[in-house]
Amino acid sequence: MSSPSSSRWSTGAVTLALLALLAGATLQGCGGGGGGAAAPRCGDGHLDAGEECDDGNLVNDDGCTNTCKLPVCGDGIVQAGEQCDDGNAVNNDGCTNTCRLPACGDGIVQAGEQCDGADLAGQSCPSLGFTGGTLACGPACTFVTAACTP
């Protein structure tokens, strides 16, 4: 068994190797260490070709995303004015396509609702066992069968 001092890498050597790696990465990120200007990149605080914005920080919900795109509903990042943003195009999954939380009256049948506004979830008076008539949706997002005929 070898002693700690006879191992291939001493603590000091590992520290120096890590510092060299970090310095190399830093120099490469600054134009390769040759004193030249850094290559344009998202997050450098300068608006470059292909960027919609570049605020130079790593905050995703401040009006400019970390991919240098302007925020939009559906990008998966909750921004100012949005109640939710699940980044998909499914309206009845807990976050609408307008980045609002589901609520009775939003026109989208959500869990716990029979209907919502004009959206009767494919139902009609006959599908509910009536012979005819006009099915409606009430203000509590439940069916109103008053105009259905027995």
Side-chain angles (χ1 to χ4, degrees):
M1 186 152 81
S2 64
S3 69
S5 62
S6 66
S7 75
R8 186 171 171 214
W9 293 92
S10 69
T11 304
V14 169
T15 302
L16 286 175
L18 286 173
L19 288 173
L21 281 172
L22 289 173
T26 302
L27 290 174
Q28 284 180 349
C30 292
R41 63 174 175 76
C42 177
D44 62 6
H46 301 284
L47 190 61
D48 300 309
E51 296 178 342
E52 296 174 5
C53 57
D54 192 332
D55 58 5
N57 67 40
L58 298 176
V59 180
N60 237 345
D61 62 353
D62 64 349
C64 183
T65 68
N66 291 345
T67 58
C68 293
K69 301 289 182 199
L70 293 172
V72 294
C73 176
D75 63 8
I77 305 163
V78 178
Q79 302 283 348
E82 297 177 341
Q83 294 175 338
C84 57
D85 193 329
D86 58 4
N88 67 39
V90 180
N91 240 340
N92 61 352
D93 65 348
C95 183
T96 69
N97 292 344
T98 59
C99 293
R100 297 276 173 235
L101 295 172
C104 178
D106 63 9
I108 304 160
V109 178
Q110 304 283 351
E113 299 176 343
Q114 293 179 323
C115 55
D116 199 321
D119 187 348
L120 300 175
Q123 301 297 315
S124 64
C125 290
S127 72
L128 295 177
F130 296 92
T131 59
T134 304
L135 183 63
C137 188
C141 291
T142 57
F143 293 131
V144 177
T145 58
C148 292
T149 55

